[in-house]
Amino acid sequence: MGSNEELPEGTLQNILEQDSLKWIFVGGKGGVGKTTCSSILSILLARVRPSVLIISTDPAHNLSDAFQQKFTKTPSLVNGFSNLYAMEVDPNVEHDESGGSDITDGFVSELANSIPGIDEAMSFAEMLKLVQTMDYSCIVFDTAPTGHTLRLLQFPSTLEKGLAKIMSLKSRFGGLLGQMTRLFGLGDEFGEDAILGKLEGMKEVIQQVNQQFKDPDLTTFVCVCIPEFLSLYETERLVQELTKFEIDTHNIIINQVIFDEEVIQSKLLKARMRMQQKYLDQFYMLYDDFNITKLPLLPQEVCGVEALKAFSHNFVTPYKSSITRGTIEELELRVSALNEQLKDAEPELERLRKGKQKIDEAI
């Protein structure tokens, strides 16, 4: 494949048309434009769904910057919308605020934290439990860079295994726990039934979420990347891990693609386009069964609701270069551009010559 025009074009229209989707994850390497893509995807979904929530799980939150509106750990209505909400949470620090007994919560937390990786997973579970009580038809996750995201997607399985391990202690230490609570006069709130009931309730939520995450009708993952080697490598790693977790992924967004639109190309631009084309070819070869959406590199940032809306059409309509090389129109444009450059350069050259003449005369 030698040029972008020869490559099959894809869009994200398939996500908008899949009404059954409940969870949509958007992720990839750092700095590839995940937040912009997830924000635009949520705007498009808000046009076809009753209610949409976008959640940033990246500790370095950029969602507020993308929409130019401050968000917190509780859902807020995005300015200019009646059915799009946003929230920023950090799974590392979110804890249960459900109002249970401090003693019971503390014991459950200490018990759970003895299992590696389960502290973050329980925080994530509490966030999911909160989200599930809200009536959103679709939830978009703007995730952290790849490594953090893969850990996040492991949380349901980690929790399920961890809680099963805790529950297995019931048969071994359940009677002893009951005797200790009676001995110290702690009452029913710290009793065996209260603790195990809380764990059972959490386990049910996690099992349900785990099943939903592995259901392609309910969950999908959109990979975002740029046409460079490290990003290609990260995307391949991400796709392999998602397959291992049994999480559906069939959409890739290739962001910051340089399209052939400059009438007069510089050597640097030509070199960058050749480099990008090499990796674009590899993406299409590796992921021939994926929907691949190419987004153009812009001279400015995409910030604010209006800018996000203006750029959103590139997600549902393949971007086309405004120039076709080798045509009469293209050659006419090139000649016109060169004439304009010459017209601008001649007065400048004359000014410099006069300045040099004055200096020579003064000497």
Side-chain angles (χ1 to χ4, degrees), residues 244-263:
K244 190 169 79 176
F245 297 152
E246 299 176 56
I247 294 174
D248 173 74
T249 179
H250 59 275
N251 283 279
I252 293 177
I253 296 174
I254 307 180
N255 197 17
Q256 301 176 18
V257 176
I258 302 172
F259 284 84
D260 188 6
E261 296 189 298
E262 295 294 324
V263 179

Side-chain angles (χ1 to χ4, degrees), residues 57 59 90-95 109 112-128 144 147-156 158-159 202 206:
T57 60
D90 185 351
N92 296 314
V93 297
E94 285 298 304
H95 293 288
S109 179
N113 287 347
S114 64
I115 300 170
I118 206 172
D119 51 347
E120 282 182 291
M122 286 187 76
S123 299
F124 183 60
E126 292 297 344
M127 181 193 71
L128 290 179
H148 189 283
T149 300
L150 293 175
R151 204 164 70 250
L152 182 105
L153 293 172
Q154 282 178 306
F155 285 169
T158 303
L159 260 179
M202 186 173 287
I206 292 311

Side-chain angles (χ1 to χ4, degrees), residues 9 23 25 37 41 54 57 121 142 155 209 226 281 335-336:
E9 300 292 351
W23 313 92
F25 290 87
C37 289
L41 186 55
I54 178 169
T57 60
D142 172 35
F155 285 169
V209 168
I226 56 176
D281 291 345
V335 169
S336 176

Side-chain angles (χ1 to χ4, degrees), residues 212-267:
Q212 289 186 7
F213 278 11
K214 293 180 178 181
D215 186 344
D217 290 331
L218 297 173
T219 304
T220 193
F221 197 107
V222 179
C223 303
V224 183
C225 56
I226 56 176
E228 293 182 7
F229 171 74
L230 285 178
S231 190
L232 175 67
Y233 173 79
E234 283 281 302
T235 304
E236 177 62 15
R237 174 182 163 225
L238 180 57
V239 169
Q240 288 178 0
E241 290 293 321
L242 291 169
T243 304
K244 190 169 79 176
F245 297 152
E246 299 176 56
I247 294 174
D248 173 74
T249 179
H250 59 275
N251 283 279
I252 293 177
I253 296 174
I254 307 180
N255 197 17
Q256 301 176 18
V257 176
I258 302 172
F259 284 84
D260 188 6
E261 296 189 298
E262 295 294 324
V263 179
I264 309 299
Q265 294 178 329
S266 67
K267 288 183 179 179

Side-chain angles (χ1 to χ4, degrees), residues 130-151:
L130 171 70
V131 167
Q132 282 199 316
T133 62
M134 304 170 187
D135 190 24
Y136 295 106
S137 60
C138 184
I139 296 153
V140 179
F141 285 89
D142 172 35
T143 67
T146 307
H148 189 283
T149 300
L150 293 175
R151 204 164 70 250

Side-chain angles (χ1 to χ4, degrees), residues 26-40 62 142-143 224-226 253 255-256 295 311 315:
V26 180
K29 188 175 177 293
V32 297
K34 295 185 298 296
T35 300
T36 300
C37 289
S38 59
S39 300
I40 292 175
N62 295 315
D142 172 35
T143 67
V224 183
C225 56
I226 56 176
I253 296 174
N255 197 17
Q256 301 176 18
L295 300 177
F311 193 63
F315 282 58

